[in-house]
Amino acid sequence: MKTTKTFKLLGLSLFLMILLISIASAQTLVAGKVYTPGYNDIVSGADITVTCNSNILDTTSLDDGTYAVRFDVELCPLDSIVNAKGAKGDLSGSDSGVVIECNDQDNCAEGYVSIINLAIKASQGAEGNN
């Protein structure tokens, strides 16, 4: 009888530990795609800086123009404003979004998510030099 209680306590302890680890590792996904003006073509290799509540993460857009960063949910919780800036050569641009809750119908595994697509273009000074 004592062995059964020990196994139940061990099982409950293991379950609680797994639950706490999953809560502690919750993340907010910020992702998007980088385009040329008018969203006509993708831009790979753009330097991306994402800011959420003064927390900053950097990445580079992939060959298909996509980028993604993950903040710990404590640093970038639900309803936070997220800013994304992209630059490549003389092209740059920025946009912002809000962190929302990801639900099952969105087909995503993250708890919170913000999708920010960027159109980067030549700066005013660079346009005059063409």
Side-chain angles (χ1 to χ4, degrees), residues 80-126:
S80 295
I81 302 295
V82 181
N83 295 300
K85 295 180 182 179
K88 182 175 182 179
D90 66 344
L91 303 177
S92 64
S94 64
D95 208 344
S96 61
V98 177
V99 175
I100 61 170
E101 189 167 0
C102 182
N103 58 43
D104 290 336
Q105 62 188 353
D106 293 331
N107 293 323
C108 59
E110 303 298 323
Y112 299 133
V113 64
S114 185
I115 305 298
I116 305 172
N117 293 321
L118 298 172
I120 61 175
K121 60 182 181 177
S123 63
Q124 292 286 345

Side-chain angles (χ1 to χ4, degrees), residues 2 6 30 41 65 79 85 112 128:
K2 188 174 183 176
T6 303
V30 179
D41 294 310
D79 296 328
K85 295 180 182 179
Y112 299 133

